[in-house]
Amino acid sequence: MYFQDPPDKQAYYTQVWALARQIPLGRIATYGQLAKLIPAPSDIDPNVYRTSSPRWVGNAMAACPDDVPWQRVLNAQGKISDRRGAARQKALLQLEDVEFLNDRVDLSYYQWAGPNMPDAPRQPRLF
DNA sequence: GTAATGACCAATA
DNA sequence: CTATTGGCCATTA
């Protein structure tokens, strides 16, 4: 159930962390979102990149330095990926005023607009 | 040497 | 709503 590692794991992870550091407090990015913001390494098949890069991002977050706001990265469903430490992640987000409904956040409300982009004005939450 | 298992996602059934 | 499937590797025990 895994597909490949980046050719240069260190270089890839560094890019992931650089992006994650830009996620503002109280905003959420998804693994796939960050993956799409990083260009595919030249020696990787685009299809392979598309399917495996979200996991590379997950792996990068598992190994991130202390100054990376790892708690702001969730899965595409707006949920915390199940693992040891999920409860801690939820607690940290709640400290940032991120609200959960049935263990899910409303991505249409909380999702980060992207690097060097103004955050979209917040629409009314759907719940 | 084998075997288990990872912070994913989109499309289906 | 939940479950399954394809994608098909590196690391660790």
Side-chain angles (χ1 to χ4, degrees), chain A residues 23-24 27-29 33 37 110-121:
Chain A
I23 307 171
R27 287 279 173 181
I28 298 301
Q33 178 186 1
L37 289 168
Y110 289 110
Q111 189 164 30
W112 179 42
N116 310 313
M117 293 288 293
D119 280 329

Side-chain angles (χ1 to χ4, degrees), chain A residues 27-126:
Chain A
R27 287 279 173 181
I28 298 301
T30 70
Y31 300 101
Q33 178 186 1
L34 297 187
K36 282 175 188 161
L37 289 168
I38 299 172
S42 55
D43 44 355
I44 284 292
D45 178 82
N47 255 340
V48 171
Y49 186 75
R50 180 175 51 77
T51 59
S52 54
S53 58
R55 290 199 234 220
W56 298 355
V57 172
N59 291 341
M61 296 316 292
C64 73
D66 291 339
D67 65 317
V68 174
W70 54 273
Q71 71 274 20
R72 296 174 193 156
V73 184
L74 303 184
N75 65 31
Q77 290 80 49
K79 298 207 245 184
I80 294 173
S81 293
D82 189 26
R83 76 190 120 81
R84 202 174 101 254
R88 160 117 174 112
Q89 184 171 11
K90 183 175 184 181
L92 284 172
L93 288 175
Q94 287 173 324
L95 286 176
E96 301 184 4
D97 277 331
V98 173
E99 294 185 56
F100 287 79
L101 179 65
N102 298 326
D103 285 325
R104 196 170 69 84
V105 305
D106 180 1
L107 283 179
S108 72
Y109 183 82
Y110 289 110
Q111 189 164 30
W112 179 42
N116 310 313
M117 293 288 293
D119 280 329
R122 285 187 154 152
Q123 306 302 317
R125 269 191 302 249
L126 299 181

